[in-house]
C-alpha cells in the first residue's frame, strides 16, 4: 500500500473567498504548504478524488488525508497546528458564538453578495437593501470591538475577511459599505494590517475587473 | 410563554442523574428532528434540563429573545446563555462538559472534520432532497426521488469505503455526533414512504445505510426520544395535505414544523 504523502497541500482557486479563508488561517499559524491552483473548467483528478461529494475547492490535504469545506478546514487548522494565534477561543460559549457568526457569513453574505453580482439592474435595489441589512447585522455584532473575536483575530474575522475585497465592486453597484456600515469598513481596513490577510486577499480593483468581465458575458448579454 | 408540554416520549428530567450543577433549558418542538438531536444528546450525556415546548406558529418572546437572528428551535440556554443551531449545540455540550464520559465528536481532528462535513451534507443536501420528495407528486416526485437516491448513494459509499467504513455506527460501537445528526431525521423516511407512497430506502440498494438506521433506531435512548411512528404519521399526513394544497389546513398538533425537512418556502417549516 502506498505511503501517504507527508505535508500540507491546498487545492484552491485564486478568486475564491472560501480558499482565501484557508490561506489566511494557514498564514496565521505559519504553516508551510503547497498551493495548487485549480482550473475550475477542467478539475484535476486529485480534486475530484479528494472531494468526490462536492467536487469543489478549497480542499486541504494533510499527510494524504483530505478535509473539505472552508470553515471545517479552518477549524481543523486551528486544532492541528498550535501556532501563536488561536483561531477559536477556549471558552465553550465563546466558541459557539464564533461558530454561529461564521456560519451566518456563510449562510447570508455569500448568497446575497453573489446574487448582487449576477442580478440585472431592476433587481439591484431590492438586493442592495437585503445586503445592507445583512451587513448591518454583522456590524452590530462587531460593535466597538477591534475584531469580531474582540481583541483576538479569529474565526469570524477569517470567515468574513475575503468579502472585504468585494466592497469596491459593491460601491459600483450603488452600495457603499463605507457609508452604510462605517464600523465594518473600518474593520476591513484594520484587518488588512495583518500580514496573513494582506497577502491572501486580492486588490479590490482586480475583483471589480473580473466582475465587469463576467457581467458582460452572463448578465448583460 | 406556553406551559411546558411533555410528550410521553420526551426525556423526563426526573429520571436523570445530574452530572453537573449547570442549569440547562431547551426550547424545542416535539416534531422537530433538530430538537430531537439535542434531547438525544442530553440523554446520552445524562444531563438534566428543563424543556419548553414551543408553538411554532406563536413563538414565545423568550425564544425570540434567545434566537433573534433565525427565531428557530432548538435553542439551548446554558447557565443563562443561549446557544442556537443544533450542530452548534452538540459541539457546545461536548465542550461545556469536557469530563462527561459521553463525548459525541470523534477524538481525531481529521475524523472530527469528516463528521462535520457529513453533518453539513445531511442538513444542506440530504434533508432538502427528502423535503422535495415529500412536497411533490407525480413526475416532479419521481425526479425528486431520483435526486434523493443519488444523495443517499453518497452516504452509502461513505459507509462502505469512507472514513467511517467498518463500524456499526459513525462513531464506532456507540452512537455519537454524526449518528445523532443523520439519525434524527432519518426516521422520517419510513413515515414519508407511507404518506407520499414512495420507496426511499431500499435495503438491497442501500444495505449499509439500512443496517445503520435499524441499529440506530434500536438504541434505548433513541426509542425514548423519538415520537411514535403513528404520531409522526399523523403529523406528516396533515403537513402533506397542506404542501400539496389539498386544504384541510391544520396538522394534527400545534406548530407546523417537520424539522429535518427543509425545502425553500415551506411556510412554518423550521429548524
Amino acid at each position: 500500500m502506498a505511503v501517504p504523502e507527508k505535508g500540507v497541500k491546498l487545492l484552491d482557486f485564486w478568486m475564491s473567498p472560501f480558499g482565501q479563508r484557508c490561506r489566511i488561517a494557514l498564514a496565521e499559524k505559519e504553516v508551510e504548504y503547497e498551493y495548487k491552483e485549480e482550473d475550475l473548467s477542467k478539475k484535476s483528478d486529485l480534486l475530484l478524488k479528494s472531494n468526490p461529494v462536492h467536487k469543489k475547492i478549497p480542499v486541504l490535504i494533510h499527510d494524504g488525508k483530505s478535509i473539505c469545506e472552508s470553515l471545517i478546514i479552518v477549524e481543523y487548522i486551528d486544532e492541528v497546528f498550535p501556532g501563536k494565534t488561536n483561531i477559536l477561543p477556549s471558552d465553550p460559549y465563546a466558541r459557539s458564538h464564533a461558530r454561529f457568526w461564521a456560519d451566518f457569513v456563510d449562510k447570508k453574505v455569500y448568497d446575497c453578495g453573489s446574487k448582487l453580482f449576477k442580478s440585472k439592474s431592476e433587481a439591484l435595489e431590492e438586493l442592495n437593501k437585503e445586503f445592507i441589512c445583512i451587513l448591518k447585522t454583522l456590524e452590530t455584532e462587531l460593535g466597538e470591538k477591534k475584531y469580531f473575536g474582540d481583541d483576538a483575530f479569529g474565526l469570524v474575522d477569517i470567515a468574513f475577511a475575503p468579502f472585504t475585497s468585494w466592497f469596491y465592486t459593491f460601491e459600483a453597484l450603488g452600495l457603499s459599505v463605507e457609508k452604510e456600515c462605517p464600523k465594518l469598513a473600518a474593520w476591513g481596513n484594520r484587518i488588512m494590517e495583518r500580514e496573513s490577510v494582506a497577502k491572501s486577499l486580492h486588490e479590490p480593483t482586480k475583483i471589480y475587473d473580473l466582475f465587469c468581465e463576467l457581467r458582460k458575458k452572463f448578465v448583460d448579454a | 410563554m406556553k406551559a411546558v408540554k411533555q410528550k410521553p416520549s420526551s426525556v423526563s428530567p426526573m429520571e436523570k442523574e445530574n452530572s453537573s450543577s449547570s442549569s440547562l433549558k431547551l426550547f424545542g418542538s416535539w416534531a422537530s428532528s433538530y430538537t430531537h438531536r439535542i434531547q438525544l444528546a442530553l440523554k446520552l450525556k445524562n444531563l438534566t434540563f428543563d424543556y419548553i415546548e414551543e408553538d411554532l406558529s406563536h413563538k414565545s418572546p423568550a425564544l425570540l429573545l434567545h434566537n433573534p437572528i433565525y427565531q428557530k428551535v432548538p435553542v439551548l440556554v446554558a447557565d443563562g446563555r443561549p446557544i442556537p443551531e443544533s450542530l452548534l449545540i452538540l459541539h457546545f455540550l461536548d465542550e461545556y462538559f469536557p469530563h462527561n464520559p459521553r463525548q459525541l465528536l470523534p477524538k481525531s481532528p481529521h475524523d472530527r472534520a469528516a463528521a462535520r462535513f457529513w453533518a453539513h451534507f445531511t442538513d444542506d443536501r440530504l434533508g432538502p432532497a427528502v423535503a422535495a420528495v415529500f412536497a411533490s407528486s407525480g413526475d416532479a416526485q419521481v425526479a425528486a426521488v431520483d435526486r434523493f437516491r443519488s444523495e443517499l448513494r453518497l452516504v452509502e459509499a461513505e459507509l462502505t469505503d469512507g472514513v467511517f467504513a467498518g463500524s456499526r455506527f459513525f462513531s464506532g460501537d456507540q452512537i455519537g455526533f454524526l449518528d445523532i445528526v443523520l439519525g434524527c431525521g432519518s426516521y422520517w423516511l419510513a413515515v414519508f414512504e407511507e404518506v407520499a407512497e414512495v420507496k426511499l430506502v431500499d435495503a438491497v440498494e442501500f444495505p449499509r445505510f439500512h443496517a445503520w438506521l435499524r441499529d440506530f433506531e434500536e438504541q434505548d435512548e433513541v426509542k425514548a426520544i423519538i415520537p411514535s411512528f403513528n404520531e409522526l404519521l399523523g403529523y406528516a399526513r396533515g403537513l402533506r395535505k397542506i404542501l400539496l394544497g389539498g386544504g384541510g389546513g391544520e396538522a394534527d398538533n400545534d406548530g407546523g414544523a417537520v424539522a429535518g425537512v427543509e425545502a425553500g418556502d415551506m411556510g412554518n417549516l423550521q429548524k
Side-chain angles (χ1 to χ4, degrees), chain B residues 31-235:
Chain B
S32 153
S33 42
Y34 297 98
T35 300
H36 298 153
R37 287 174 177 177
I38 310 309
Q39 289 171 314
L40 179 55
L42 289 165
K43 191 161 188 63
L44 290 169
K45 288 175 177 285
N46 232 9
L47 294 168
T48 55
F49 64 102
D50 291 322
Y51 177 75
I52 292 112
E53 173 73 13
E54 280 287 325
D55 175 352
L56 297 179
S57 55
H58 293 98
K59 290 171 189 173
S60 70
L63 176 64
L64 300 181
L65 178 72
H66 291 317
N67 191 2
I69 302 291
Y70 300 122
Q71 304 183 351
K72 289 177 175 178
V73 295
V75 177
L76 182 79
V77 182
D79 294 323
R81 294 188 301 179
I83 302 99
E85 303 285 288
S86 63
L87 300 185
L88 300 190
I89 298 170
L90 292 174
H91 278 77
F92 174 83
L93 286 173
D94 266 6
E95 290 166 356
Y96 204 55
F97 300 106
H99 304 297
N100 189 291
R102 204 62 187 263
Q103 290 292 301
L104 304 175
L105 275 123
K107 285 201 174 63
S108 97
H110 180 257
D111 288 355
R112 292 159 79 83
R116 287 170 181 147
F117 175 90
W118 286 101
H120 288 179
F121 179 87
T122 299
D123 282 355
D124 299 340
R125 294 255 300 248
L126 200 63
V130 175
V133 172
F134 191 65
S136 59
S137 56
D139 287 342
Q141 189 181 72
V142 171
V145 169
D146 274 343
R147 194 193 138 211
F148 168 75
R149 285 209 186 109
S150 67
E151 301 290 44
L152 195 61
R153 262 177 232 123
L154 293 168
V155 178
E156 182 72 17
E158 180 60 26
L159 280 164
T160 310
D161 302 302
V163 168
F164 309 105
S167 339
R168 192 177 173 216
F169 297 113
F170 290 99
S171 289
D173 294 326
Q174 288 185 315
I175 60 173
F177 173 77
L178 187 52
D179 303 284
I180 293 169
V181 170
L182 186 54
C184 289
S186 291
Y187 50 75
W188 281 109
L189 293 171
V191 177
F192 292 167
E193 282 182 338
E194 177 139 345
V195 173
E197 293 172 324
V198 72
K199 187 72 190 157
L200 291 171
V201 185
D202 184 318
V204 171
E205 192 184 354
F206 306 105
R208 290 205 158 68
F209 179 81
H210 192 263
W212 164 81
L213 184 56
R214 180 203 58 218
D215 285 352
F216 175 81
E217 288 172 347
E218 281 300 302
Q219 300 297 295
D220 290 334
E221 295 90 348
V222 174
K223 282 195 224 175
I225 296 299
I226 309 307
S228 72
F229 185 81
N230 284 334
E231 282 177 295
L232 297 176
L233 199 61
Y235 191 88

Side-chain angles (χ1 to χ4, degrees), chain B residues 233-267:
Chain B
L233 199 61
Y235 191 88
R237 283 199 204 284
L239 186 61
R240 184 154 165 89
K241 254 199 220 139
I242 297 168
L243 290 172
L244 296 186
E250 306 295 313
D252 285 348
N253 49 66
D254 55 17
V258 176
V261 178
E262 288 178 353
D265 297 313
M266 277 169 93

